[in-house]
Amino acid sequence: MNYWILKSEPNVYAYDDLVKQGTGTWDGVRNYTARNNLRNMQVGDLALFYHSNIGKEVVGVARIVKEAFPDPTTEDNRWLAVEVVAEKKLEKPVTLAQLKADGSVNHIGLVKQSRLSVIPIEKSDFDYILKLSQQ
DNA sequence: GCCAACGTTGGC
DNA sequence: GCCAACGTTGGC
């Protein structure tokens, strides 16, 4: 069981879009590091859903329901996609500013490597961010 | 709109 | 295989 952060620009694909669709395909990843992370996902893994650019906040939790398969949006078989469902919307989004101000999770990829769209995260950090959303 | 960070490409 | 040039992402 692993934990992740998935990043998306909400004007392209927002958490509410996933809620509406039920099951969403996480495709379009064109970065090898992110692709390798996708490949390591297992059914049942949980991911924080982060809105980049607009909002800059963690808004919900998604659950992986289908492991990596060839990305349907390209003929190029180097790229992979997974399927996810909306697990839970956060009562209160946790903003990047909040995480930075808090300081406890400065080591995570979201803060350190802002360009990566699929980021592995420790369970303790995952839980910590969820806890912040309940305060 | 700017800029830093970082990934990718291509010439050598 | 190295490295400069270029493109993209994303925070500010």
Side-chain angles (χ1 to χ4, degrees):
Chain A
M1 172 91 184
N2 295 307
Y3 296 85
W4 312 92
I5 297 172
L6 291 173
K7 293 200 324 194
S8 180
E9 298 185 39
N11 58 344
V12 177
Y13 193 83
Y15 189 72
D16 285 342
D17 296 329
L18 179 61
V19 172
K20 270 182 235 152
Q21 285 182 6
T23 304
T25 302
W26 203 268
D27 55 28
V29 171
R30 297 292 183 267
N31 169 287
Y32 288 108
T33 306
R35 191 276 312 268
N36 292 344
N37 289 334
L38 282 181
R39 194 164 48 201
N40 288 332
M41 287 181 173
Q42 296 173 302
V43 170
D45 284 359
L46 295 176
L48 297 172
F49 199 114
Y50 175 77
H51 281 172
S52 63
N53 280 316
I54 302 166
K56 281 167 273 180
E57 56 194 8
V58 177
V59 292
V61 178
R63 182 161 43 90
I64 313 304
V65 293
K66 186 178 179 188
E67 287 169 23
F69 55 95
D71 188 334
T73 65
T74 175
E75 293 295 307
D76 191 333
N77 62 12
R78 287 178 301 171
W79 305 117
L80 299 172
V82 297
E83 280 186 10
V84 299
V85 294
E87 174 83 4
K88 183 178 75 160
K89 186 168 183 168
L90 299 190
E91 294 168 35
K92 273 194 333 183
V94 179
T95 66
L96 181 61
Q98 198 180 338
L99 291 177
K100 285 186 170 172
D102 181 85
S104 304
V105 289
N106 276 347
H107 56 284
I108 66 172
L110 180 65
V111 177
K112 274 171 55 179
Q113 205 181 344
S114 63
R115 291 189 57 210
L116 191 58
S117 59
V118 183
I119 308 164
I121 184 175
E122 295 293 321
K123 181 182 193 316
S124 56
D125 295 325
F126 180 92
D127 289 342
Y128 186 77
I129 291 171
L130 284 190
K131 206 180 83 187
L132 288 180
S133 78
Q134 291 161 358
Q135 288 172 0

